[in-house]
């Protein structure tokens, strides 16, 4: 039985986030330059987006470029940016065909005009699509997003906007993900056990799934395997296992 067949389609996570890692190591193992790994990483992006759309996942967030990634050699940064532009350009018709809407989080104003133009084009073109929402985290970091939210709250206060006591819900309304449910599942490839400044507020109760597979090797079945693993877990949100089962029993009566 394949992992795809094992998925309980009635209990899918609405939002899956992915830290795509291992492109550099994959290329090195093949005796190639890191950029070769990124080029092949695009195939894994395609596989993952298709798998998410086919399964009926509503939100897929991919960590494509962090605020820290600017520290990489300029040649690699340039290659990542041109891969982003060419992939968006080439894949826009496929996004349209599959009713996928592209969105972004991160400081996209800090990207070059060239990248900004292509992003805006694909975002505008796909804005009416109602299927999978594909969210690219670009020039993103979780701490940056939290600081930005605090700045926005400060600005509202200075503008005299009536203030309620700050709750988690109100704070979340100042994040870039305000209209997006928190991810239930976060996948990280390449055997690293880190969060790397990704969605720090949003992953408070997220199930974490780590796989040794390097990103360019990540296939649909790897994505389905992560969903099956997620579905075998018990999400307690601070409650005890007994409390959860009592609740389930009362619902079934
Ligand atoms: C991590 O591997 C990967 C990235 C920093 C970027 C991911 C980018 C792509 C797959 C290309 C284009 C993206 C889109 C959305 C079309 P790494 O370089 O950190 O690998 P390493 O840890 O082995 O060095």
């Amino acid at each position: 039985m394949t992992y795809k067949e094992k998925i309980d389609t009635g209990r899918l996570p609405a939002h899956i986030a992915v830290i795509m890692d291992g492109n550099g190591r994959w290329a090195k193992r093949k005796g190639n330059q890191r950029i070769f790994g990124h080029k092949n990483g695009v195939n894994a992006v395609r596989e993952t987006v298709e798998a998410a759309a086919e399964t009926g996942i509503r939100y897929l967030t991919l960590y494509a470029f962090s605020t820290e990634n600017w520290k990489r050699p300029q040649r690699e940064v340039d290659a990542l940016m041109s891969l982003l532009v060419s992939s968006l350009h080439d894949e826009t018709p496929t996004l349209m065909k599959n009713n996928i809407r592209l969105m972004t989080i991160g400081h996209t104003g800090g990207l070059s005009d060239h990248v900004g133009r292509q992003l805006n084009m694909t975002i505008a073109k796909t804005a009416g699509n109602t299927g999978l929402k594909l969210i690219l985290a670009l020039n993103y970091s979780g701490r940056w997003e939290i600081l930005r939210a605090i700045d926005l709250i400060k600005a509202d206060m200075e503008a005299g906007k009536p203030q309620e006591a700050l709750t988690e819900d109100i704070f979340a309304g100042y994040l870039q993900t305000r209209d997006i449910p928190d991810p239930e599942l976060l996948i990280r490839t390449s055997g690293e056990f880190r969060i790397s400044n990704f969605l720090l507020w949003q992953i408070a109760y997220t199930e974490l799934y780590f796989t040794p597979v390097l990103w360019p090797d990540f296939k649909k079945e790897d994505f389905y395997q992560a969903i099956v693993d997620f579905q075998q877990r018990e999400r307690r949100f601070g409650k005890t296992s007994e409390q959860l089962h009592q609740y389930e029993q009362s619902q079934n009566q």
Side-chain angles (χ1 to χ4, degrees), residues 22-61:
N23 293 350
R25 275 163 286 164
W26 185 89
K28 222 166 152 194
R29 279 183 201 172
K30 296 201 171 325
N32 252 301
Q33 306 258 339
R34 298 178 52 80
I35 293 168
F36 181 66
H38 297 314
K39 283 187 181 151
N40 282 275
V42 175
N43 300 332
V45 170
R46 202 175 296 116
E47 286 266 325
T48 305
V49 173
E50 273 179 27
E54 283 168 17
T55 329
I57 302 298
R58 286 166 46 221
Y59 299 87
L60 175 71
T61 302

Side-chain angles (χ1 to χ4, degrees), residues 149 152 167-179 201:
L152 293 173
T167 61
E168 289 188 10
D169 281 348
I170 292 175
F171 186 81
Y174 284 92
L175 294 171
Q176 291 185 304
T177 51
R178 63 189 164 277
D179 298 321
W201 173 275

Side-chain angles (χ1 to χ4, degrees), residues 10-193:
R11 290 192 309 119
L12 286 173
H15 183 180
I16 300 181
V18 186
I19 301 177
M20 311 181 283
D21 195 15
N23 293 350
R25 275 163 286 164
W26 185 89
K28 222 166 152 194
R29 279 183 201 172
K30 296 201 171 325
N32 252 301
Q33 306 258 339
R34 298 178 52 80
I35 293 168
F36 181 66
H38 297 314
K39 283 187 181 151
N40 282 275
V42 175
N43 300 332
V45 170
R46 202 175 296 116
E47 286 266 325
T48 305
V49 173
E50 273 179 27
E54 283 168 17
T55 329
I57 302 298
R58 286 166 46 221
Y59 299 87
L60 175 71
T61 302
L62 303 180
Y63 204 3
F65 195 85
S66 77
T67 50
E68 286 87 12
N69 285 151
W70 295 111
K71 295 180 201 145
R72 294 190 174 201
Q74 190 59 43
R75 217 170 79 83
E76 183 171 340
V77 171
D78 291 345
L80 278 168
M81 292 299 155
S82 26
L83 266 180
L84 179 66
V85 171
S86 58
S87 308
L88 285 172
H89 176 269
D90 296 349
E91 299 295 337
T92 302
T94 317
L95 296 179
M96 292 307 293
K97 201 176 100 210
N98 294 290
N99 195 23
I100 299 170
R101 176 174 177 189
L102 181 79
M103 299 164 79
T104 58
I105 53 172
H107 179 31
T108 50
L111 300 169
S112 73
D113 289 348
H114 179 51
V115 177
R117 264 198 305 276
Q118 180 61 56
L119 269 176
N120 288 339
M121 223 131 73
T122 308
I123 289 171
K125 186 121 209 242
T126 61
N129 290 350
T130 54
L132 172 72
K133 287 175 187 66
L134 169 61
I135 303 141
L136 292 185
L138 289 165
N139 199 13
Y140 176 86
S141 90
R143 288 185 177 176
W144 169 83
E145 189 190 18
I146 290 170
L147 283 178
R148 174 185 175 275
I150 295 168
D151 273 344
L152 293 173
I153 293 170
K154 247 171 52 192
D156 270 358
M157 284 171 74
E158 281 160 14
K161 193 173 168 210
Q163 286 304 304
E164 304 158 72
L166 194 57
T167 61
E168 289 188 10
D169 281 348
I170 292 175
F171 186 81
Y174 284 92
L175 294 171
Q176 291 185 304
T177 51
R178 63 189 164 277
D179 298 321
I180 300 168
D182 288 344
E184 289 101 322
L185 172 62
L186 169 70
I187 301 171
R188 181 172 189 143
T189 59
S190 90
E192 304 287 353
F193 301 94

